[in-house]
């Protein structure tokens, strides 16, 4: 494969990884019992079109409700407003052009977007590593334990493609081109807030570099690579565009339903509690580790992630990618309700796949990581994707 063009190599690795995941899905489907969606032992296509895939299909076919569904107590119930519109919109266009159903069109979009995401990821990785290491980073990304979500009708692959595109353009300082990509990304999944925070902090950092460089220039020193005024203004514009994009979908939900909290009320309907920043992490910590260790657990997590961000393989990612990872993790700590779906929500931290490849050039190490990831794919699919009723009803979501 080494003589093939880079995009052929990356595409081949992605397709191979998705075939492995498809085999795991099909094997798990053979053991799928009675469930809320279809008879036992479904085929592959039925098996991957469950969980949130049904909500995206609902948004594709029927749009979003003008009135929020509520219980007898007036509490907002689960509905399609929690699912961002770009993915089902593209599915509706493809279904209209091909005459196929939502399951097929959304699956095709997810697969193709996943391919585009790994191609963009390779381009990002090449800015920080050689060809071979960048390829290993792609392998780690494609084989990640939750990477099977890239081939099911979820918006993760589309969001990953747009996020990667925005980060690539930012690394290449093409901030104006990144604006429409960032706006589209904000309509695919709720990743606009951490992107806006990343761009804002990056703007302040580049501005500080510019001021420092001007002082050194007065002293007769030359500082290469400093942003021009035009680049700084463009980065400020990208920050503003990302901030607007982050608020766009909640604003649309408000305008459509007349309820200013339509999006947040819908999003928290799955939690059963109101949105209180940070609190769910402490609640989950207490539930898992007890009243003492549970309170300390979030602080230990933050400390461990801080050490990770300071490690040599992560520092090698550069300012833009490290800032994104820090802001996204901060966003999860503030707003996320930690549960089994948290594993899937770690996928936007994809730059760390390159860091994992930079840890060692040993084939034994890299091969072991891939094998471990594939084994954990089996755990993720069998434990979380396959449905099995819990004693109290329902099941853990993937």
């Amino acid at each position: 494969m080494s003589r093939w063009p880079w995009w052929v190599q990356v595409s081949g690795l992605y397709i191979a990884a998705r075939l492995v995941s498809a085999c795991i899905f099909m094997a798990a489907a053979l053991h799928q019992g009675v469930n809320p969606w279809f008879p036992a032992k479904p085929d592959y296509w039925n098996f991957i079109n469950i969980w949130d895939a049904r909500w995206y299909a609902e948004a594709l076919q029927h749009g979003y409700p003008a009135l929020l569904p509520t219980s007898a107590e007036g509490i907002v119930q689960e509905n399609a407003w929690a699912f961002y519109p770009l993915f089902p919109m593209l599915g509706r266009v493809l279904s209209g052009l091909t005459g196929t159903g939502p399951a097929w069109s959304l699956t095709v979009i997810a697969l193709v977007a996943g391919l585009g995401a790994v191609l963009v990821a390779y381009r990002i990785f090449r800015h920080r590593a050689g060809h071979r290491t960048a390829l290993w980073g792609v392998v780690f990304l494609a084989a990640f334990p939750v990477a099977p979500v890239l081939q099911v009708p979820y918006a993760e692959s589309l969001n990953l493609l747009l996020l990667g595109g925005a980060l690539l353009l930012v690394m290449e300082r093409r901030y104006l081109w990144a604006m429409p990509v960032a706006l589209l990304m904000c309509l695919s999944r709720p990743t606009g807030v951490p992107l806006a925070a990343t761009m804002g902090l990056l703007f302040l950092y580049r501005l500080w570099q510019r001021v420092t460089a001007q002082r050194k220039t007065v002293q007769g020193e030359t500082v290469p690579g400093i942003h021009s005024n035009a680049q700084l203004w463009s980065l400020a514009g990208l920050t503003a565009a990302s901030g607007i994009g982050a608020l766009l979908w909640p604003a649309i939900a408000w305008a459509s339903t007349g309820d200013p909290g339509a999006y947040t009320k819908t999003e928290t309907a799955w939690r059963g509690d109101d949105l209180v920043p940070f609190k769910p992490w402490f609640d989950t910590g207490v539930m898992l580790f007890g009243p003492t260790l549970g309170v300390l657990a979030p602080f230990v997590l933050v400390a461990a992630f801080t050490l990770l961000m300071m490690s040599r393989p992560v520092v090698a990612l550069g300012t833009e990618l490290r800032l994104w990872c820090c802001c996204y993790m901060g966003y999860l700590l503030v707003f996320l309700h930690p549960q089994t779906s948290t594993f899937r929500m770690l996928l936007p931290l994809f730059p760390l796949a390159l860091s994992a490849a930079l840890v060692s050039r040993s084939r034994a190490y890299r091969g072991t990581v891939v094998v471990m990831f594939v084994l954990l794919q089996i755990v993720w699919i069998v434990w979380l994707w396959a449905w099995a009723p819990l004693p109290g009803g329902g099941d853990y979501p993937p």
Side-chain angles (χ1 to χ4, degrees):
M1 292 175 59
S2 61
R3 297 184 180 181
W4 298 353
W6 68 268
W7 57 271
V8 176
Q9 296 182 49
V10 172
S11 299
L13 292 169
Y14 173 77
I15 293 170
R18 298 287 62 79
L19 288 174
V20 171
S21 299
C23 291
I24 299 173
F25 271 122
M26 288 186 284
L30 293 175
H31 300 277
Q32 175 64 69
V34 177
N35 60 87
W37 300 286
F38 41 68
K41 296 184 179 181
D43 60 21
Y44 172 79
W45 297 105
N46 276 321
F47 191 55
I48 65 171
N49 277 276
I50 59 175
W51 298 105
D52 289 352
R54 295 304 176 102
W55 283 110
Y56 284 114
E58 170 72 16
L60 185 157
Q61 293 176 304
H62 306 294
Y64 295 87
L67 293 175
L68 295 175
T70 57
S71 65
E73 295 78 17
I75 300 174
V76 174
Q77 301 297 290
E78 300 172 0
N79 65 86
W81 280 110
F83 301 90
Y84 279 55
L86 184 60
F87 185 53
M89 187 183 303
L90 293 175
R92 180 179 297 179
V93 172
L94 184 59
S95 291
L97 293 175
T98 61
T100 54
W104 185 90
S105 60
L106 292 175
T107 301
V108 168
I109 292 171
L111 270 170
V112 173
L115 174 58
V118 296
L119 290 169
V120 171
Y122 171 84
R123 290 283 307 279
I124 291 173
F125 295 167
R126 284 293 280 120
H127 280 272
R128 298 289 181 257
H131 169 70
R132 194 171 192 82
T133 301
L135 273 185
W136 274 105
V138 168
V139 172
F140 288 170
L141 172 58
F144 194 64
V146 297
V149 78
L150 299 177
Q151 66 198 75
V152 303
Y154 273 46
E156 266 75 3
S157 54
L158 179 62
N159 179 255
L160 198 65
L161 168 61
L162 295 169
L163 169 62
L167 291 176
L168 177 62
L169 291 168
V170 167
M171 293 174 69
E172 295 176 349
R173 300 188 178 184
R174 293 189 286 173
Y175 303 121
L176 293 178
W177 286 100
M179 289 183 190
V181 180
L183 288 172
L184 289 174
M185 187 211 73
C186 291
L187 293 174
S188 63
R189 275 189 58 77
T191 48
V193 170
L195 184 67
T198 301
M199 296 303 105
L201 291 174
L202 184 62
F203 170 75
L204 294 176
Y205 176 68
R206 297 304 185 195
L207 182 62
W208 174 79
Q209 281 187 319
R210 178 69 184 273
V211 173
T212 304
Q214 287 176 340
R215 291 175 182 173
K216 291 183 178 181
T217 301
V218 172
Q219 298 172 359
E221 298 182 35
T222 302
V223 182
I226 299 301
H227 277 50
S228 64
N229 286 332
Q231 288 175 324
L232 283 175
W233 280 110
S234 297
L235 182 53
L238 176 58
T239 302
S242 301
I244 293 171
L247 299 174
L248 191 57
W249 184 237
I252 292 173
W254 177 6
S256 300
T257 63
D259 188 336
Y263 171 72
T264 53
K265 289 178 182 178
T266 299
E267 190 67 51
T268 54
W270 277 263
R271 305 183 183 189
D273 297 307
D274 292 334
L275 176 62
V276 180
F278 299 109
K279 182 177 179 293
W281 288 91
F282 291 98
D283 293 340
T284 302
V286 170
M287 181 184 69
L288 294 176
F289 306 111
T292 302
L293 294 178
V295 173
L296 296 176
F299 296 103
V300 173
L301 175 64
V302 171
F305 189 78
T306 301
L307 291 175
L308 175 65
M309 290 295 102
M310 295 170 62
S311 65
R312 183 177 298 178
V314 178
V315 170
L317 294 178
T319 302
E320 295 88 352
L321 297 182
R322 289 176 70 206
L323 263 180
W324 162 252
C325 291
C326 290
C327 289
Y328 183 71
M329 194 64 186
Y331 168 77
L332 294 183
L333 288 170
V334 174
F335 296 108
L336 180 67
H337 178 75
Q339 54 170 317
T340 48
S341 296
T342 304
F343 302 116
R344 171 169 55 88
M345 295 180 185
L346 297 178
L347 201 57
L349 295 172
F350 75 93
L352 297 181
L354 178 60
S355 296
L358 290 170
V359 169
S360 173
R361 294 184 178 182
S362 165
R363 290 185 179 181
Y365 158 74
R366 290 172 171 176
T368 300
V369 171
V370 173
V371 172
M372 180 186 69
F373 279 179
V374 172
L375 292 176
L376 289 175
Q377 281 190 36
I378 298 174
V379 173
W380 187 78
I381 291 174
V382 173
W383 175 39
L384 295 179
W385 190 266
W387 192 88
L390 295 172
D395 190 16
Y396 295 121

